[in-house]
């Protein structure tokens, strides 16, 4: 199993809200280190589109392209033969908060998923300064733990810069109305994590 496959293998992953943790949730929140990485919402959409729709490996357990095409057709009554970034964004911004969709954590609002206004995180970093923030988070954890922590995090230091230039290319395909829809859907993420609204 490749690193990409392991990262996306969610079988057995239970979120803190799962009933299994109901009796110990408070203790876990009190005793564990809580680290969160935020990413600019419109860049998360570009990354998801590229990863799930453009760069499919054929090894995925679910054909997300076919699944999303079906969901878009179900919602709008039609779909392009080749899903575009505009199609994807139109679907995402009109997804209701209670509407469950496969792979939805890739684009669900961070304030909804991670509750940064409720959970007292020890550290909130940003993808845009990933190298520095991951290094800081590992150092912070080493200071509090006698165990050795492997801080050899597998990422490219070029990833944020590459995403920045690619994001501009994709986002320029959107209409002004779609850009406003993204801003409206993710307004709290932009504000809470101090991202520019422009």
């Amino acid at each position: 199993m490749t690193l990409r496959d392991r990262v996306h293998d969610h079988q057995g992953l239970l979120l803190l809200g799962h009933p299994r943790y109901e009796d110990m949730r408070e203790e876990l929140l009190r005793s564990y280190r809580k680290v969160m990485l935020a990413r600019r919402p419109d860049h998360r959409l570009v990354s998801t589109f590229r990863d799930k729709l453009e760069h499919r490996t054929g090894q995925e357990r679910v054909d997300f392209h076919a699944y999303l095409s079906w969901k878009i057709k179900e919602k709008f009554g039609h779909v392009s033969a080749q899903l575009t970034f505009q199609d994807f964004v139109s679907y995402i911004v009109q997804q209701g908060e209670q509407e469950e969709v496969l792979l939805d954590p890739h684009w669900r609002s961070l304030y909804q998923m991670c509750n940064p206004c409720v959970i007292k995180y020890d550290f909130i970093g940003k993808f845009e300064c990933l190298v520095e923030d991951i290094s800081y988070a590992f150092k912070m954890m080493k200071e509090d733990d006698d165990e050795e922590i492997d801080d050899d995090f597998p990422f490219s230091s070029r990833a944020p810069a590459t995403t920045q230039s690619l994001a501009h290319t994709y986002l320029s395909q959107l209409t002004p109305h779609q850009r406003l829809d993204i801003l409206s859907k993710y307004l709290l993420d932009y504000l809470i994590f101090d991202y520019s609204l422009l």
Side-chain angles (χ1 to χ4, degrees):
M1 188 178 261
T2 68
L3 178 60
R4 180 178 191 255
D5 294 332
R6 286 197 319 259
V7 166
H8 290 95
D9 182 18
H10 298 150
Q11 290 181 336
L13 176 65
L14 300 177
L15 299 178
L16 195 54
H18 190 277
R20 176 180 179 180
Y21 297 122
E22 189 171 344
D23 294 339
M24 59 180 128
R25 190 172 298 126
E26 294 299 320
E27 173 62 21
L28 292 172
L29 284 171
R30 188 187 60 69
S31 61
Y32 278 66
R33 279 287 191 182
K34 292 160 295 299
V35 175
M36 176 182 170
L37 282 174
R39 188 174 191 179
R40 194 180 157 88
D42 50 357
H43 291 198
R44 285 179 63 214
L45 294 178
V46 169
S47 176
T48 300
F49 179 78
R50 294 188 75 240
D51 185 48
K52 302 300 177 198
L53 296 168
E54 285 188 337
H55 296 187
R56 295 174 289 164
T57 65
Q59 305 292 318
E60 295 85 2
R61 283 179 271 155
V62 174
D63 182 349
F64 187 60
H65 188 279
Y67 172 78
L68 194 59
S69 294
W70 171 71
K71 294 297 277 182
I72 289 172
K73 186 171 185 173
E74 183 179 68
K75 186 175 272 291
F76 300 119
H78 67 284
V79 65
S80 309
Q82 182 62 39
L83 282 178
T84 65
F85 184 60
Q86 285 183 310
D87 294 332
F88 177 68
V89 167
S90 292
Y91 178 75
I92 298 306
V93 297
Q94 292 190 30
Q95 179 188 4
E97 285 193 27
Q98 302 305 316
E99 185 180 347
E100 292 290 327
V101 178
L102 189 66
L103 295 176
D104 153 268
H106 286 78
W107 63 79
R108 174 109 18 215
S109 172
L110 292 176
Y111 90 88
Q112 288 177 307
M113 284 193 308
C114 303
N115 295 312
C117 297
V118 175
I119 295 173
K120 185 178 182 238
Y121 283 90
D122 298 291
F123 179 74
I124 297 177
K126 288 187 172 182
F127 179 81
E128 293 77 10
C129 46
L130 185 64
V131 176
E132 296 87 358
D133 285 354
I134 289 291
S135 295
Y136 178 83
F138 278 131
K139 285 178 186 159
M140 178 186 70
M141 286 185 267
K142 279 183 180 179
E143 289 173 4
D144 291 348
D145 200 343
D146 294 334
E147 290 183 39
E148 193 63 33
I149 295 175
D150 179 13
D151 58 2
D152 187 23
F153 191 76
F155 62 85
S156 165
S157 60
R158 293 183 44 224
T162 303
T163 299
Q164 178 71 26
S165 61
L166 281 170
H168 176 74
T169 301
Y170 283 83
L171 294 169
S172 68
Q173 300 169 18
L174 301 179
T175 66
H177 183 71
Q178 286 177 308
R179 297 293 300 263
L180 284 173
D181 285 344
I182 291 173
L183 182 60
S184 176
K185 183 169 183 83
Y186 295 100
L187 183 60
L188 286 177
D189 281 359
Y190 280 99
L191 296 174
I192 290 169
F193 302 110
D194 196 30
Y195 286 112
S196 165
L197 301 177
L198 301 176

